[in-house]
Amino acid sequence: MLSFTTNSEAPTVTTAAATAVTSATATLNGAGNPNGDATTGWFRYSTTSPGTCNDSFGTRAPSSGGSLLGSGTSPVVYNRGIAGLLPLTTYYFCA
């Protein structure tokens, strides 16, 4: 007898509004649904809009690793504080 296991759906992510914004810091917010795969979440941000979020855009926060979201099938909220921002500057970010 042979068997096979189907693949799970790719993890999905939602970016939420930044909070606790000051002249030099902000908290970035998002949620990731692992859809059954072990998943880690992080953010990317920049002063230039990338048009779409991808792994070559801006600065990664954190620079390595991230928030462990598990391997469940429901969204897991995560956030990351960032610092060293310039006052009166627009930042673009994605989870």
Side-chain angles (χ1 to χ4, degrees):
M1 178 183 299
L2 297 175
S3 66
F4 65 92
T5 302
T6 59
N7 292 334
S8 63
E9 213 178 302
T12 55
V13 66
T14 303
T15 304
T19 55
V21 178
T22 72
S23 61
T25 64
T27 299
L28 307 181
N29 300 291
N33 185 336
N35 289 322
D37 282 338
T39 302
T40 302
W42 62 86
F43 297 91
R44 297 198 73 88
Y45 67 97
S46 177
T47 57
T48 305
S49 174
T52 61
C53 188
N54 59 57
D55 242 8
S56 63
F57 153 62
T59 301
R60 188 181 191 278
S63 58
S64 64
S67 299
L68 298 178
L69 305 181
S71 57
T73 56
S74 297
V76 178
V77 173
Y78 65 103
N79 57 56
R80 172 69 53 177
I82 56 172
L85 305 177
L86 301 172
L88 298 174
T89 302
T90 299
Y91 285 85
Y92 300 87
F93 74 100
C94 60

